[in-house]
Amino acid sequence: MTTLHAGPHARPRVKLDDHLPVDHRLSRVYRFSAGSMGVFLLAFGALGLIRRIGFFDTGANTALGLNTNGALSVLSLLVGGVLLAAAVRGGNTASTVNMMLGIGFLLAGFAFLFALDSRFNFLNFRMQNVLFSFAVGLLLMTGGMYGRVSGGLPHDNPYWRSRHSG
């Protein structure tokens, strides 16, 4: 069990359960979230490359309703491949990959939100891409954390007492 602390004497606030068995039923949640998003990203990346869009083109090129260019297509193929590999592996690997890439999608959404209509928008993001990035980030994080992350309630908390009475 990994515990994150706020200081040397602080009580645990978040616990990440690293000891789930490989065949645990939650592995299906991790695999589904990684696999479904991996398939979508592979399709998006492949469609972007098939259309032979310039690598850093910033025109009105779309695939599956999202703006794209060659660089975003290649990046989508790479991330989709990582997600599919994690889905095949399953277990805590899929969970951890979901969490890390979910955070990455959220950060990318914020970064490109600020880069819209600027010369720094090299992946040809538009508002629909930003919203997609936020949604995918939240879904991947939720899918990855499901059943593995819990808050450390103090023992005098009524919710803790109701769960542990008996």
Side-chain angles (χ1 to χ4, degrees), residues 4-70:
L4 303 175
H5 296 280
H9 301 291
R11 289 193 291 182
R13 298 201 192 286
V14 175
K15 293 181 182 179
L16 180 62
D17 188 0
D18 288 329
H19 304 293
L20 292 177
V22 175
D23 60 346
H24 194 276
R25 61 183 167 77
L26 287 177
S27 183
R28 288 180 286 199
V29 174
Y30 311 143
R31 285 178 179 221
F32 177 77
S33 59
S36 60
M37 192 45 55
V39 167
F40 181 86
L41 288 174
L42 286 175
F44 174 73
L47 287 173
L49 287 179
I50 288 171
R51 295 184 181 171
R52 298 181 186 262
I53 302 167
F55 202 70
F56 290 113
D57 187 15
T58 57
N61 303 306
T62 62
L64 298 176
L66 300 170
N67 272 40
T68 189
N69 61 16

Side-chain angles (χ1 to χ4, degrees), residues 6-7 38-39 61 67 69 106 113-115 117 136-137 139-140 150 164:
V39 167
N61 303 306
N67 272 40
N69 61 16
L106 286 176
L113 177 64
F114 293 114
D117 298 326
V136 169
L139 288 172
L140 284 175
S150 64
H164 296 88

Side-chain angles (χ1 to χ4, degrees), residues 19 26 43 47 69 96 116 121-122 124 131 148 150:
H19 304 293
L26 287 177
L47 287 173
N69 61 16
T96 303
L116 289 177
N121 189 5
F122 57 90
N124 197 26
L131 295 174
R148 285 191 70 191
S150 64

Side-chain angles (χ1 to χ4, degrees), residues 115-160:
L116 289 177
D117 298 326
S118 76
R119 63 185 173 96
F120 300 109
N121 189 5
F122 57 90
L123 292 180
N124 197 26
F125 264 52
R126 298 292 182 261
M127 186 52 76
Q128 64 265 26
N129 296 74
V130 170
L131 295 174
F132 174 79
S133 188
F134 287 150
V136 169
L138 289 173
L139 288 172
L140 284 175
M141 284 177 42
T142 301
M145 287 188 279
Y146 188 75
R148 285 191 70 191
V149 177
S150 64
L153 295 174
H155 295 285
D156 61 344
N157 184 289
Y159 293 109
W160 188 93

